[in-house]
Amino acid sequence: MMERVNRVALIGTGFVGSSYAFALLNQGVADELVMIDLNKDKSEGDAMDLNHGVPFAPGSKKIWFGDYQDCKDADLVVITAGANQKPGETRLDLVEKNSNIFKEIVTAVMNSGFDGIFLVATNPVDILTYMTWKFSGLPSHRVIGSGTILDTARLRYLLSDYFDVDARNIHAYIMGEHGDSELPVWSHANIGGRSVFDRIHDRPDQYKVEDLDDIFVNVRDAAYHIIQRKGATYYGIAMGLVRLTKAILHNENSILTVSAYLEGEYGEEDLYIGVPAIVNRTGIREVLHLNLDNEEKENFKKSAAVLRETMDPLVDKFFENK
C-alpha cells in the first residue's frame, strides 16, 4: 500500500510565495511542492534554488516548477498571486484587478480536476476568498483565507514585548476584515489564563489600560509601516501560511483566526471574514463563537459592513448575470 503523499501547489512565486516555499521547506511540512507562476523562469529558478537546500531540510522533499495540471493531485492549493499593495493604497483598493486575476487562476485549477482545499493569501483576502469560493464551486469549508492570522500574530508579539512574556503564552485575537476595520478582542485576551486587564491591575505602576489602544493601532497599521520601509510584507504572512498548511495537512484541529464563511455566526451570513475557527484536514471544521462584549459586537458588525460595501457590487458584476 502506497503511503499518502501531501502535495501543495503554490500559485504565485513573488515575495510572499517564495517566502512561503522557503519556510515550508525549512519546517518540513509537505512532501511535495509544485511552484506555478506566469513568470516561468522565476518559478523554475526558485525551485532549483530551494532544491539545493533539500540536504539541509528536516526530510526529503520533491520541489519542482509546473503548471495548473499539477494541481490535479494536490491536497492544497495556496494562492499568493496578484497585484501587490502599493504605498498609500489600501487592501480594498486591490479588489477588482485581483478578482479578474483570480477568475483565471481558479478556473484553471478547477479544470485540472483539483478536489482539495484552497488557501488564499492575496489581498483583499476576505473578498478574494469569497470570490475563490464562488469561482470554484467547492464547499465553503474547503476554501480558506489567511484572514487575520497575521494580525493576531502581530498582536501576540506586541503584547509579549509589552508584558515581557513569551508570545506563545499569550492568547488574543484580531477579528473582522484583514484591514483597517479589524478589531481586537480584548475581552478574551489572556496571559497564561489570566486576563490582560488582571495583569495590568497587578502592576499598575508598570502597565496601563490606555497602552492597549496604542498596541492595537500598531497592529492595525503594521503593514503600512513595513511597506513604507521595504516595499512589501512577506515573512510574517509566509510563516502564517505555513502554520495553516501544517494544521490542514497534519489534521491538527488547531484554532486559528482565518477568513471563514459565516452562515449566521456573529449575526452575519454569506460573508468571508476573520474569525477563530477549528482547522483540520477537511478545511474549516467549525467556526468558534466567542462571547464578544457589546463594543466588540458593534465593531465586528461595522467591519462586516465595510467588506459588504466593496464586495456586493463586485459579486453583482461577476455573478448576477451568469
Side-chain angles (χ1 to χ4, degrees):
M1 185 175 177
M2 290 184 64
E3 185 178 350
R4 184 185 180 98
V5 174
N6 288 319
R7 177 185 292 185
V8 173
L10 169 65
I11 301 175
T13 59
F15 285 130
V16 174
S18 56
S19 298
Y20 167 74
F22 183 63
L24 197 71
L25 175 62
N26 272 283
Q27 295 186 37
V29 174
D31 302 306
E32 296 184 354
L33 173 64
V34 55
M35 307 179 75
I36 303 165
D37 197 285
L38 284 175
N39 186 342
K40 294 184 178 180
D41 286 342
K42 170 68 165 61
S43 59
E44 183 177 14
D46 275 331
M48 292 169 65
D49 201 2
L50 288 165
N51 274 314
H52 297 162
V54 167
F56 308 116
S60 179
K61 297 287 177 289
K62 181 181 178 183
I63 303 171
W64 75 102
F65 80 99
D67 56 35
Y68 288 113
Q69 286 305 309
D70 292 302
C71 296
K72 181 180 185 299
D73 296 320
D75 301 279
L76 180 67
V77 167
V78 179
I79 307 179
T80 63
N84 293 323
Q85 186 178 354
K86 298 175 182 177
E89 190 174 37
T90 70
R91 296 177 181 96
L92 292 177
D93 289 334
L94 302 172
V95 65
E96 187 158 354
K97 52 186 169 183
N98 277 336
S99 291
N100 283 302
I101 293 169
F102 265 55
K103 184 177 182 180
E104 294 182 14
I105 289 173
V106 175
T107 299
V109 171
M110 296 308 295
N111 286 342
S112 76
F114 173 69
D115 192 34
I117 294 170
F118 275 107
L119 175 55
V120 178
T122 309
N123 282 319
V125 68
D126 303 291
I127 295 175
L128 290 177
T129 304
Y130 185 96
M131 300 301 277
T132 299
W133 169 58
K134 295 286 280 186
F135 290 140
S136 70
L138 290 174
S140 60
H141 68 273
R142 284 167 52 195
V143 181
I144 308 170
S146 55
T148 50
I149 192 169
L150 177 56
D151 311 272
T152 292
R154 287 166 172 160
L155 178 62
R156 292 173 64 197
Y157 165 72
L158 289 176
L159 287 173
S160 76
D161 186 57
Y162 182 71
F163 289 107
D164 195 22
V165 174
D166 189 332
R168 291 168 295 184
N169 298 123
I170 292 176
H171 298 280
Y173 300 112
I174 295 288
M175 289 176 57
E177 173 212 0
H178 172 53
D180 296 341
S181 70
E182 65 189 28
L183 61 134
V185 185
W186 294 125
S187 63
H188 289 271
N190 71 81
I191 302 170
R194 298 194 72 224
S195 164
V196 291
F197 298 111
D198 290 339
R199 184 61 179 159
I200 291 170
H201 184 264
D202 290 343
R203 302 282 181 87
D205 57 321
Q206 196 170 353
Y207 308 121
K208 294 180 175 60
V209 172
E210 304 80 60
D211 291 342
L212 297 180
D213 293 332
D214 293 333
I215 288 172
F216 167 62
V217 168
N218 282 325
V219 168
R220 184 195 64 200
D221 297 345
Y224 298 123
H225 297 309
I226 295 170
I227 290 168
Q228 187 179 42
R229 287 162 174 78
K230 57 179 277 188
T233 71
Y234 36 92
Y235 296 135
I237 186 57
M239 292 189 71
L241 291 173
V242 172
R243 179 68 192 91
L244 272 166
T245 301
K246 185 170 179 282
I248 293 166
L249 297 183
H250 294 187
N251 198 35
E252 287 186 343
N253 293 304
S254 295
I255 298 172
L256 300 164
T257 46
V258 296
S259 189
Y261 186 72
L262 299 189
E263 299 177 274
E265 298 91 345
Y266 298 100
E268 299 293 336
E269 58 184 22
D270 194 30
L271 182 75
Y272 271 88
I273 194 168
V275 290
I278 300 174
V279 180
N280 65 14
R281 187 90 198 190
T282 66
I284 294 175
R285 193 192 88 188
E286 178 186 348
V287 171
L288 287 187
H289 190 87
L290 301 180
N291 291 318
L292 305 180
D293 65 28
N294 289 335
E295 183 179 1
E296 291 162 352
K297 288 177 182 176
E298 186 61 29
N299 286 337
F300 187 82
K301 184 178 179 181
K302 289 177 180 177
S303 188
V306 167
L307 283 174
R308 288 191 189 282
E309 185 179 354
T310 301
M311 187 183 76
D312 287 350
L314 192 72
V315 171
D316 289 345
K317 178 177 179 179
F318 277 88
F319 303 108
E320 282 302 302
N321 298 318
K322 299 294 184 285

